[in-house]
Amino acid sequence: MDVLTLLGQMLNTTLVFSTALIFAALGGIFSERSGVVNIGLEGLMMFGAFAAAVGGYYAQDAGYTDLAPWIGLLCAMAVGMLGSLIHAVASITFKADQTISGTVINFLAAGSTLYLVKLLFEGAGETPLIDGFSVTPIPWLSQIPVLGTGIFSSYPTTYLAIILVIVVYFLLFKTPFGLRLRSVGEHPSAADTLGVNVNRMRYIGVLLSGMLAGMGGATITLTTTGTFAHNTISGQGFIAIAAMIFGKWNPLGAFGAAVFFGFSQAIRNYVQMFGWSQNIPQEFIYMIPYVLTVIVLVSAVGRSSAPSALGQSYDPSKR
Amino acid sequence: MFKFKKIFATDSYIVPLVAILLGLLVGAIVMLIGGYDPIAAYGALFKRVFGSPYDFGEAIREMTPLMLTGLSVAFAFRSGLFNIGADGQVLIGMTAASLIGIKWAGLPMFLLVPLAVIGAGLFGGLWAGIAGYLKAKRGINEVITTIMMNWVALYLANYIVRTFLLIPGQDRSEDIPASLSITFLVSFFDNARIHWGTIIALAAALFFYIYLWKTKQGFEMRAVGLNPHAAEYAGMNVGRNVMKSMFIAGVFAGLAGAGEVLGVFHYQSVFAASPGYGFDGIAVALLGLTHPLGVILAAILYGMLTYGSAGMSFNADVPPELIRIVIGSIIFFIAAQGIVRWVLKPFYFKRKKEKVL
């Protein structure tokens, strides 16, 4: 295989692996920029993966074969939002500790999705296999060498994720909405004085994070696994949190971090092609992404700066 | 960032109890919606835990690692750190205990067993200490490092077991001669796998309490947890406290690993995925309000619910995953106390009226 083809393929695998992380990390950014810690991304992704599998299955069953993955994606967005509503109510309205209510989401998601799978599919441990999204090359652009196979011959979800990175960046840093959202996460009482409804902005932040994390989960069932089971989401939500912190709560940074994680996972598939890698125990190859992350953090990124009101519930009487 | 608010200054007993009841109620409603009989299900759960000496002993076995990982997460929380890495620390502790227990099998038991346990605690602590060091010296968020190190620990443990301890052709280590089983209790409980780890866990809780509330170092650690800037201003070394706290948290988790391999399984498997001890530990720490006594009680509750859930699915046909909904709801109600207070309001009101009358 010549080098250019190989490069294109590696880029392609990297992006496929990163897509779910990009969605979920963008979700995390909305929530945490508004000042609400979101440890529950893992659970929200689980909700999304489950909803996509079930929604897609019923849509297929009803004969909407072409639309099924899109219906699944919409279901995932809705269910992810619904799940994050629990987090929002507990941590914003009832001022619960945000770390705790995020953990609650992880628990409720793991429990309720598997409970529902068993209930809906007569005790089965996973949902029936569905046809997810298929690879959709973009007509003209996919002819470009390397980038053509790398970026422009991918799943619709991957395109969507890349577009959303730009949209979210624009939304956060170039619009009044973004300014309000960020101000609520940095200095809620000042924002309140200026007439921003703190709790409403935070609700929006958390609900958007649920929607996006749901899309992230959906990506996994609709492009990689085709079903939802207990191990469909195993740690990706936490890696998305890492990507968000790694990217300093900035959509572009998080995108870079997610692609980095995707790349170090993809590299696993390619290292085995080289002869000399036979001598490396497979466990060490599996460790690469995680060790690399720590090394990069130590050497390059340094102190991470979270939104300053992160984790604090807002109490107007203490202004 | 993850400051843990002391949530119950008043109503310290009533609120958690009501939260547990509400959690069970949510579970019952979910079962009713699914078409199951909640009374039969909870009955089966209860019966599974208390039905036979064997099951009771096994329930205690189930609670033990939960206590230690719960203490681990809670201890880190007390100094303002979020230890998502208890899972990896357990794995490292397991591996250290297996390595020592198998490789030094020539030593007399009264030396070998303590060495294996101490090794597990030490390596668990050092593993967590890496995250503590990076946090203290480089300001790197411990949430990321502990998440990453869970994965590294998983693969490292598998590598060590596969390379040094494996029975050829199987996915597990040789049998470990060193044992933490409490022999006379094992036969008393019909071969339930009761082991000294439970006693170690209780001792760890006692240590937790005395260290944090009765020593100067513990005071410093809590001060750092409550407000690192104020602690620094008062002349405390925040970085050193962070490292120490992570180390001790890791020791607790490492000891949990020793209990599992030396007391329960007597060998170590190659894990396909993370065994999840650490995530249960987060739940136990939160249920126990990060207080050592609370953590023990929470581990008992959590252990009973998870162990009993198997009986629930066997005898009442309810999917055992339901119990995660119950546990999640209990944590939810403890965290969102406003809801519990709202539920309790009419009762309080009545009581006050009676006083007036």
Side-chain angles (χ1 to χ4, degrees):
Chain A
M1 197 189 297
D2 71 290
V3 182
L4 286 185
T5 328
L6 182 70
L7 268 180
Q9 280 188 10
M10 277 181 85
L11 184 57
N12 191 286
T13 330
T14 298
L15 283 178
V16 169
F17 277 133
S18 350
T19 306
L21 297 176
I22 297 172
F23 280 124
L26 288 179
I29 288 173
F30 270 119
S31 169
E32 302 219 338
R33 278 283 180 177
S34 77
V36 181
V37 175
N38 203 340
I39 287 290
L41 286 183
E42 175 89 1
L44 295 171
M45 284 182 85
M46 225 176 253
F47 276 129
F50 162 80
V54 174
Y57 169 76
Y58 284 115
Q60 242 174 33
D61 215 34
Y64 300 107
T65 329
D66 294 341
L67 281 176
W70 292 104
I71 294 171
L73 190 65
L74 282 176
C75 292
M77 291 160 75
V79 174
M81 242 177 173
L82 216 63
S84 64
L85 188 62
I86 303 172
H87 185 36
V89 169
S91 63
I92 302 169
T93 305
F94 286 99
K95 303 192 184 345
D97 187 284
Q98 299 169 357
T99 315
I100 303 184
S101 72
T103 309
V104 167
I105 298 294
N106 291 338
F107 261 79
L108 290 180
S112 57
T113 53
L114 290 170
Y115 178 79
L116 284 172
V117 166
K118 288 193 175 165
L119 210 63
L120 291 174
F121 302 105
E122 280 99 36
E126 58 182 291
T127 60
L129 197 67
I130 54 164
D131 301 322
F133 287 110
S134 42
V135 172
T136 326
I138 293 179
W140 175 74
L141 293 168
S142 60
Q143 304 302 319
I144 309 171
V146 186
L147 294 184
T149 37
I151 301 175
F152 301 110
S153 309
S154 202
Y155 296 102
T157 39
T158 305
Y159 306 139
L160 193 59
I162 295 173
I163 294 167
L164 271 178
V165 171
I166 299 159
V167 171
V168 171
Y169 179 82
F170 186 79
L171 204 61
L172 270 184
F173 295 108
K174 308 285 174 201
T175 64
F177 165 79
L179 183 65
R180 284 193 204 111
L181 191 89
R182 285 184 292 126
S183 70
V184 154
E186 291 292 340
H187 206 312
S189 50
D192 193 5
T193 317
L194 293 173
V196 180
N197 186 331
V198 175
N199 283 357
R200 194 205 289 158
M201 284 320 282
R202 289 190 165 177
Y203 260 91
I204 294 173
V206 174
L207 289 179
L208 282 176
S209 87
M211 186 187 89
L212 286 161
M215 292 168 84
T219 308
I220 292 172
T221 42
L222 295 175
T223 63
T224 354
T225 62
T227 70
F228 174 79
H230 72 96
N231 59 353
T232 303
I233 307 293
S234 57
Q236 285 95 331
F238 288 102
I239 295 184
I241 293 174
M244 170 189 71
I245 300 177
F246 207 179
K248 299 197 166 180
W249 289 267
N250 181 318
L252 301 179
F255 171 74
V259 169
F260 169 74
F261 281 117
F263 172 71
S264 45
Q265 276 168 25
I267 218 174
R268 230 153 61 174
N269 298 2
Y270 289 95
V271 162
Q272 272 138 354
M273 285 173 34
F274 302 115
W276 48 263
S277 71
Q278 301 296 315
N279 304 321
I280 306 174
Q282 50 166 343
E283 281 89 357
F284 288 104
I285 294 172
Y286 290 152
M287 273 182 214
I288 293 173
Y290 313 108
V291 175
L292 265 182
T293 308
V294 176
I295 292 173
V296 170
L297 270 179
V298 171
S299 54
V301 181
R303 278 175 203 279
S304 41
S305 46
S308 46
L310 188 60
Q312 299 161 10
S313 52
Y314 177 59
D315 185 354
S317 62
K318 282 182 187 158
R319 200 157 73 194
Chain B
M1 181 163 75
F2 298 105
K3 228 182 300 158
F4 189 83
K5 264 172 279 158
K6 198 173 181 189
I7 16 188
F8 60 111
T10 53
D11 308 329
S12 49
Y13 300 101
I14 298 166
V15 169
L17 280 179
V18 173
I20 292 169
L21 287 177
L22 286 175
L24 291 171
L25 193 68
V26 169
I29 293 169
V30 173
M31 280 191 260
L32 281 175
I33 294 171
Y36 301 108
D37 177 0
I39 295 171
Y42 284 136
L45 186 150
F46 195 74
K47 220 167 141 191
R48 159 92 171 176
V49 177
F50 296 100
S52 71
Y54 171 79
D55 282 325
F56 189 64
E58 281 289 292
I60 294 175
R61 193 259 316 148
E62 180 100 26
M63 293 163 193
T64 304
L66 295 171
M67 281 182 200
L68 282 164
T69 51
L71 289 172
S72 170
V73 177
F75 195 87
F77 243 130
R78 283 284 172 183
S79 53
L81 299 164
F82 194 26
N83 179 18
I84 308 192
D87 220 48
Q89 294 141 26
V90 170
L91 280 167
I92 294 296
M94 275 185 175
T95 314
S98 305
L99 257 182
I100 295 172
I102 291 172
K103 291 295 171 189
W104 292 353
L107 290 173
M109 279 304 154
F110 70 89
L111 272 178
L112 180 62
V113 176
L115 270 179
V117 172
I118 292 169
L122 189 67
F123 279 96
L126 290 174
W127 190 256
I130 299 175
Y133 176 84
L134 292 175
K135 167 93 177 184
K137 296 290 172 196
R138 306 298 301 260
I140 295 164
N141 192 307
E142 79 281 4
V143 174
I144 309 191
T145 41
T146 51
I147 291 170
M148 295 302 136
M149 285 177 63
N150 279 342
W151 293 91
V152 178
L154 172 68
Y155 296 123
L156 186 64
N158 281 353
Y159 171 74
I160 291 173
V161 172
R162 216 191 280 280
T163 324
F164 302 109
L165 306 172
L166 205 66
I167 300 182
Q170 286 191 38
D171 257 2
R172 47 161 280 196
S173 74
E174 310 166 27
D175 285 326
I176 305 169
S179 168
L180 271 177
S181 298
I182 309 179
T183 336
F184 65 97
L185 280 182
V186 168
S187 50
F188 180 77
F189 281 110
D190 265 346
N191 290 323
R193 295 164 289 179
I194 297 267
H195 58 87
W196 287 105
T198 315
I199 310 294
I200 295 176
L202 295 175
L206 191 65
F207 168 81
F208 186 140
Y209 179 75
I210 293 174
Y211 186 83
L212 273 189
W213 280 279
K214 305 288 170 200
T215 70
K216 185 173 150 277
Q217 292 179 349
F219 174 78
E220 269 195 26
M221 209 166 267
R222 282 186 295 134
V224 168
L226 289 172
N227 189 341
H229 302 297
E232 185 147 34
Y233 189 68
M236 296 171 190
N237 186 333
V238 173
R240 199 174 53 208
N241 273 297
V242 164
M243 283 191 273
K244 219 192 296 172
S245 163
M246 275 313 270
F247 176 79
I248 294 173
V251 169
F252 289 154
L255 290 173
E260 291 297 282
V261 292
L262 302 179
V264 179
F265 297 112
H266 303 290
Y267 63 83
Q268 185 173 345
S269 337
V270 172
F271 292 99
S274 116
Y277 292 104
F279 297 100
D280 294 340
I282 296 176
V284 169
L286 298 179
L287 275 177
L289 301 161
T290 69
H291 189 281
L293 182 64
V295 168
I296 289 178
L297 295 176
I300 291 172
L301 175 73
Y302 193 113
M304 273 175 19
L305 290 177
T306 42
Y307 187 74
S309 67
M312 204 174 70
S313 74
F314 196 71
N315 290 322
D317 206 30
V318 178
E321 287 78 20
L322 176 96
I323 223 63
R324 293 197 152 241
I325 302 179
V326 173
I327 293 170
S329 319
I330 297 175
I331 305 177
F332 176 82
F333 288 122
I334 288 184
Q337 289 207 356
I339 296 174
V340 174
R341 276 173 221 286
W342 180 72
V343 169
L344 283 178
K345 217 174 174 182
F347 299 100
Y348 274 127
F349 198 58
K350 219 184 260 170
R351 207 193 285 165
K352 267 183 192 154
K353 253 188 183 169
E354 277 165 8
K355 266 184 194 163
V356 174
L357 289 170

